[in-house]
Amino acid sequence: MAFSRSLLSEDQLQCSICLDVFTDPVSTPCGHNFCMICLRGVWDSSSHCQCPVCETDFTNRPELCVNTFISALAAQFKKQIPLKPKKVLCDSCTEEKLEAVMSCLHCGVSFCNAHLMIHKATPKLMKHKLMEPVENLEDYICQKHERPLELFCRDCQTCVCQFCTEGDHSTHSTHSTVSMEKESEDNKTKLWMTHAVVQKMIQDRLKKIKDIKHSTELNKNKTEKEKADTVEIFSALMHCIERSQADVMEKQKAAERQAEEFIKDLEQEITELKRRNTELEQLSHTEDHLHFLKIYPSLCSPPHTQDWTDVIINSHQSVETLRRKIMQELLNNAMEKFVHSELKRIQQHAVNITLDPDTANPCLAVSNDGKEVTCENIIKKLPDNPERFDRCICLLGKEGFSSGRFYYEVDVKWKTEWDLGVVKESINRKGNITACPENGFWCVSWNNQVGYVALDSPSIPLSLKQPPQKVGVFVDYEEGLVSFYNVEAKYHMYSFTGQTFTEKLYPFFSPGLNEGAKNSAPLIIYPWVRVHD
């Protein structure tokens, strides 16, 4: 948008808090405008929200959005603000001092138009080096030789005069020197690169703020939904609901506090980066080479900031996890109704699992649809690929999971032996294997001699009310949870809790040895589990 500077002044585009031209301007409901960071700072340090100008109180903290119209005006105004050099007066004027138009490095004084005429008319003076008028002219003259500083010594990183480089005994005679103009131009190229880096850092941090806000909003929405689910599922256990809600809300508040701290730190870094960005932009336009070379070393690198690449909002412990803990506490009190609701909920995470014949022991036969596996009395000749189990009678599912939740069901009816669970991708598949969490196995086992066992460390015998005909396996990757359920009887069998998963998990199946046709029934994966009523 184009506009005339005669119509707008700096006062009209000035934040009344920082007294500078607006940065990310926002408007209050009462119509006053401030920088977003400035207004947030005022509100964060106060117990209530009010307008800093008219002191109007707001019952609820207003949602702040950048006023794009004012932001565009402020940005355009900043571009059109020229650098205002300090006014230099003529050294030769005796009465009223006129403004100088040139400074002479040889004479060491500044001249107005009238007093400069002698330099333009006298041949000897015409050879003097003139420059734009500066107040501190002595800084542009070599203190040793009283000659203009025209060269830059790259070895010493300082400005020198011509005489400093001449003569055998000169300090800089063997050093690499170039004109100040060339050194300034070379460094300006590097300056623009730094400028670009700073601008990208600003954009990265703005994006990070957006990501943090989005993550916080998702956590908040998830919390609200799970609160409602908790009330519905545990209507008869109000004391448990109150305990779980208090815990979840405290963690949500902690996540929001963490997000606010991150945003505050990011906004502070953005303020500093914007300040550095303005300094870089102003310095890149200066023609004062000495000033440039003095200031450049302090601005040539971006300011020190935190690396935000891996910063995330930590997810709070979900109500879902608390429900599972409560479930285990109440199992001994015959909470069948509770488990029924729990199983119905986790079945919503059902996935479609198919068996991977490339991992199957040569004694195993996998159906064409990849849903059934049986143990035969013959050993087939198959390629001994690295994925295949060569001695243990087992195989894996084709689908691996490295995040989220998943659930599947397996028919174990008529079986006298089986193993089910999940394993990590890098498990040993050759020779004898001990199934336990330390070796990457989280499984439950059954055979008619030992009974039901959780293959934990050490193994834990399971006392089940009735033999399962269908086993449900549920995994929450982030929570480190693997749970087993008797689907038809609707009760919980066992859970591995507090695990740490760092690689893909694959469903694990073992139909056991055939035992002379006594254990010939197949393990059957149910083709896409639907939520049971």
Side-chain angles (χ1 to χ4, degrees), residues 94-256:
T94 56
E95 297 181 358
E96 180 184 356
K97 292 281 188 180
L98 298 179
E99 186 175 351
V101 295
M102 284 289 176
S103 293
C104 178
L105 292 177
H106 287 74
C107 299
V109 293
S110 300
F111 302 103
C112 64
N113 267 322
H115 290 105
L116 185 64
M117 292 303 297
I118 191 171
H119 275 70
K120 295 180 178 180
T122 305
K124 183 178 180 180
L125 297 180
M126 290 171 64
K127 297 179 181 180
H128 286 193
K129 184 173 181 64
L130 300 176
M131 63 177 292
E132 292 294 321
V134 292
E135 186 178 23
N136 51 334
L137 194 55
E138 63 275 6
D139 291 343
Y140 295 78
I141 299 174
C142 176
Q143 299 300 309
K144 181 178 180 181
H145 300 107
E146 296 184 353
R147 301 288 294 178
L149 297 173
E150 301 175 290
L151 303 174
F152 184 81
C153 177
R154 288 180 169 172
D155 293 341
C156 300
Q157 290 292 299
T158 187
C159 295
V160 297
C161 72
Q162 186 67 40
F163 284 2
C164 291
T165 64
E166 297 175 350
D168 295 336
H169 300 291
S170 172
T171 304
H172 306 280
S173 60
T174 60
H175 292 181
S176 172
T177 57
V178 295
S179 69
M180 288 199 304
E181 290 81 358
K182 175 171 175 49
E183 184 67 15
S184 291
E185 289 303 318
D186 290 348
N187 285 335
K188 278 187 179 181
T189 301
K190 299 176 184 177
L191 185 74
W192 277 111
M193 295 175 63
T194 302
H195 188 198
V197 171
V198 170
Q199 287 182 320
K200 184 178 184 303
M201 291 173 70
I202 292 174
Q203 295 305 315
D204 290 345
R205 279 150 181 75
L206 289 171
K207 182 179 182 300
K208 197 66 181 182
I209 287 178
K210 183 177 179 181
D211 293 344
I212 290 174
K213 288 182 177 178
H214 179 65
S215 177
T216 303
E217 187 62 28
L218 288 179
N219 280 339
K220 187 175 182 179
N221 292 340
K222 180 180 177 181
T223 299
E224 294 301 322
K225 182 179 184 303
E226 291 184 342
K227 273 178 56 182
D229 292 343
T230 303
V231 173
E232 179 182 354
I233 293 173
F234 302 114
S235 58
L237 305 170
M238 289 307 298
H239 64 287
C240 295
I241 293 174
E242 292 169 359
R243 185 182 61 191
S244 65
Q245 285 180 344
D247 192 8
V248 170
M249 293 310 297
E250 178 58 32
K251 288 179 171 61
Q252 173 61 32
K253 290 177 181 177
E256 291 179 352

Side-chain angles (χ1 to χ4, degrees), residues 397-446:
K398 287 184 177 181
E399 298 77 14
F401 302 87
S402 57
S403 64
R405 306 180 180 103
F406 62 94
Y407 173 83
Y408 60 95
E409 294 179 354
V410 184
D411 191 326
V412 297
K413 187 167 48 178
W414 312 120
K415 299 290 294 176
T416 61
E417 182 180 345
W418 52 261
D419 296 86
L420 293 174
V422 293
V423 299
K424 65 181 182 180
E425 187 174 21
S426 63
I427 57 166
N428 175 38
R429 307 184 190 202
K430 306 301 180 183
N432 293 323
I433 298 172
T434 300
C436 63
E438 287 75 12
N439 294 336
F441 291 77
W442 293 270
C443 302
V444 166
S445 174
W446 151 256

